[in-house]
Amino acid sequence: MRKILIDAYIEEKDTNGFTDSGLKSQQWTTVVEKFNEDAGCLKHVGKKPIQSQLDYMHKKWVIYHAMVCNSGWGWNKTDNRPEMLIKCF
């Protein structure tokens, strides 16, 4: 479900972009409709729960990103093993 939500959000951002404060009201409507359609929800999920879930995932990502950047370690996708980070993304 989270992947569907993230994909709907990114698709709308890539298509129509952000304002200074994020998505516009009509863009949120599109994200909500896309999520409900792709997830096959029996009960319509509204804008507030979707925004809440995205906020939650963003907070978790911020914590993860800080831990990765401060640990000095990262993941080498080519060799599929941990490695020392020179610079954080």
Side-chain angles (χ1 to χ4, degrees):
M1 289 285 207
R2 287 182 177 169
K3 181 177 181 348
I4 294 169
L5 177 55
I6 292 168
D7 289 345
Y9 184 80
I10 290 172
E11 182 180 326
E12 185 60 28
K13 177 199 70 86
D14 290 347
T15 303
N16 297 309
F18 282 125
T19 64
D20 290 338
S21 60
L23 294 179
K24 296 177 188 172
S25 182
Q26 180 56 40
Q27 291 174 297
W28 276 113
T29 302
T30 305
V31 169
V32 170
E33 289 171 358
K34 180 84 171 138
F35 172 77
N36 283 299
E37 179 184 315
D38 291 353
C41 296
L42 298 176
K43 184 178 177 186
H44 180 80
V45 178
K47 177 181 169 183
K48 291 242 183 232
I50 286 178
Q51 285 178 321
S52 178
Q53 187 61 222
L54 284 167
D55 289 344
Y56 172 79
M57 288 187 290
H58 182 259
K59 287 175 186 172
K60 293 294 181 182
W61 179 84
V62 167
I63 292 168
Y64 168 79
H65 185 262
M67 289 172 44
V68 168
C69 287
N70 293 322
S71 73
W73 289 91
W75 190 258
N76 182 324
K77 291 179 184 179
T78 306
D79 297 334
N80 207 22
R81 64 180 174 84
E83 70 178 3
M84 290 291 292
L85 286 176
I86 296 171
K87 182 167 110 176
C88 191
F89 49 96

